[in-house]
Amino acid sequence: MESIKESVKNMPGFNKFQEKYELMKQQVLTDPNVMRFLRENPDISDVQAEKLLSNFYTYRNEQLACSNCPGLENCPNLMKGYRSELTKVRQTVELRYKPCELKMIDDQKKSMSSLIKSYFIPKEILDARFERLYNPNMDEARSIAIQKAYEFVQTAGAGQKSKGIYFYGKFGVGKTYLLGAIANGLAEKGIHSLMIHTPEFLREMKQSLSDGSFDSKMKLLKTVPVLMLDDIGAENMTNWVRDEILGVILQYRMMERLPTLYTSNCDYDMLQQHLSFSQKGGLDEVKALRIMERIKHSSHAVFMGGSKNFREDF
């Protein structure tokens, strides 16, 4: 009776298969990286090397793919974004995997992104960087505002509780983008921040009363290490928003000395007037003053200048 080995040899196409196999084996075993590994491990015999051909083949192909890297998204390796390495383990050879440079950069970006939470903030703002803000021809007020923002990032988490900043200025000078740059600067230091577009978020807070998420959102705003309230003063002011949302959040953060940053088209006086609005008619100046005292106590007012509309660059 014919053995299985002999039967395989007699199968149609076996000779071509054998030729391809021998060619592949030669290519693999003469690969510079594989040859270097075998030289470093002289106890691996030729017979053993052939038995380990599958691992050597995978290693060679992945090294070739890495040398002509098509980018992380199109990585053809068995584990996307990982480089294989040959490792001698007792009497055999195993493939071990380590992340490549692109994978590590991508992981770092994702890690940073996880440190930045946002509500109703455009994507380009979340990609903001301080380098994008500097301009040799910018006016002094704008330069000072950027410097104050940069100093805030540098001192954040340095063991001392720092005050927040109230950035104010006309529409379109880059106040929101500046908050985005701060958020990314904090993320590089491993500090969590939450950035919200205040008018839109306050509208959502009203809806959250019915979907059961109000308490969790309030807790997040009160306790996040750095809170950023973008465009405060542009919301539709109601007694409930002022007293039960802003008042409660800012009181907690002031007592816990957690920094809050703001952007607004209003200076302190204009914001106080806005907060004085009462649905019952007239002005509720006492309650507005109470909110303003919390803001003033825990932040520095910084004017952000600029003669052109910063949004034109996007």
Side-chain angles (χ1 to χ4, degrees):
M1 186 176 181
E2 191 177 40
S3 68
I4 294 177
K5 186 175 181 179
E6 292 298 321
S7 297
V8 170
K9 285 183 179 180
N10 293 328
M11 288 177 63
F14 174 77
N15 289 335
K16 286 187 176 181
F17 169 80
Q18 186 68 18
E19 288 176 10
K20 288 182 180 180
Y21 174 80
E22 291 297 330
L23 177 61
M24 181 270 291
K25 182 173 72 172
Q26 182 182 11
Q27 290 174 337
V28 171
L29 295 179
T30 58
D31 177 83
N33 292 320
V34 174
M35 289 178 67
R36 183 170 59 251
F37 177 81
L38 291 173
R39 283 197 303 270
E40 293 171 354
N41 296 274
D43 56 323
I44 297 177
S45 66
D46 292 344
V47 174
Q48 285 178 303
E50 187 167 349
K51 290 180 179 179
L52 295 166
L53 199 61
S54 176
N55 282 354
F56 292 144
Y57 177 78
T58 299
Y59 172 73
R60 172 182 178 271
N61 286 350
E62 294 194 344
Q63 292 298 310
L64 289 173
C66 288
S67 66
N68 299 284
C69 179
L72 185 60
E73 286 300 315
N74 298 312
C75 177
N77 288 354
L78 184 63
M79 295 178 63
K80 183 179 288 190
Y82 287 82
R83 291 180 183 273
S84 59
E85 293 183 351
L86 293 170
T87 305
K88 180 81 182 325
V89 181
R90 298 184 180 86
Q91 301 303 312
T92 187
V93 175
E94 295 181 357
L95 287 173
R96 300 282 175 87
Y97 289 87
K98 290 185 178 180
C100 69
E101 292 81 1
L102 293 181
K103 173 66 173 172
M104 289 189 287
I105 291 172
D106 185 63
D107 287 346
Q108 183 182 28
K109 287 182 178 179
K110 289 177 179 177
S111 176
M112 285 178 58
S113 297
S114 71
L115 295 171
I116 305 172
K117 294 184 174 65
S118 66
Y119 286 97
F120 310 106
I121 299 296
K123 184 180 184 300
E124 64 267 18
I125 300 300
L126 299 179
D127 292 332
R129 295 294 185 277
F130 277 106
E131 310 87 76
R132 174 70 177 75
L133 285 159
Y134 286 104
N135 185 319
N137 300 317
M138 62 186 170
D139 59 51
E140 184 179 5
R142 183 180 182 83
S143 177
I144 291 173
I146 295 171
Q147 184 61 35
K148 293 292 184 184
Y150 185 76
E151 289 173 359
F152 175 85
V153 172
Q154 296 307 302
T155 58
Q160 58 182 10
K161 297 291 184 179
S162 55
K163 277 191 173 185
I165 307 176
Y166 183 91
F167 295 105
Y168 69 99
K170 65 181 183 181
F171 175 85
V173 295
K175 300 185 298 296
T176 303
Y177 193 94
L178 184 56
L179 288 189
I182 293 172
N184 279 295
L186 293 172
E188 289 176 2
K189 298 179 67 174
I191 299 173
H192 287 265
S193 66
L194 169 62
M195 186 177 178
I196 67 172
H197 182 246
T198 309
E200 293 290 341
F201 185 75
L202 290 175
R203 275 196 286 271
E204 183 181 278
M205 288 298 285
K206 187 175 182 180
Q207 297 174 358
S208 69
L209 289 170
S210 58
D211 65 23
S213 64
F214 179 83
D215 289 342
S216 61
K217 287 175 180 174
M218 282 293 288
K219 182 179 179 180
L220 176 61
L221 269 75
K222 289 194 296 183
T223 61
V224 68
V226 179
L227 175 64
M228 304 183 191
L229 299 177
D230 180 46
D231 211 12
I232 190 171
E235 66 282 345
N236 291 322
M237 185 51 58
T238 66
N239 295 352
W240 181 75
V241 164
R242 180 192 61 213
D243 304 332
E244 303 302 326
I245 304 295
L246 289 176
V248 172
I249 291 169
L250 297 182
Q251 175 66 19
Y252 182 93
R253 298 188 65 80
M254 183 182 71
M255 296 300 294
E256 295 297 320
R257 300 180 68 188
L258 295 170
T260 305
L261 292 92
Y262 312 81
T263 69
S264 182
N265 295 333
C266 306
D267 60 19
Y268 278 163
D269 292 337
M270 293 170 62
L271 183 62
Q272 183 170 333
Q273 185 178 5
H274 172 72
L275 293 169
S276 298
F277 172 79
S278 174
Q279 292 170 293
K280 298 177 181 178
L283 299 175
D284 199 334
E285 296 180 351
V286 174
K287 290 184 178 179
L289 181 61
R290 189 177 298 153
I291 300 290
M292 288 307 305
E293 285 302 313
R294 293 166 185 164
I295 293 175
K296 290 178 180 179
H297 178 79
S298 57
S299 69
H300 302 288
V302 175
F303 174 70
M304 187 160 185
S307 58
K308 75 167 192 170
N309 191 324
F310 193 77
R311 288 184 174 87
E312 292 174 358
D313 290 339
F314 296 120

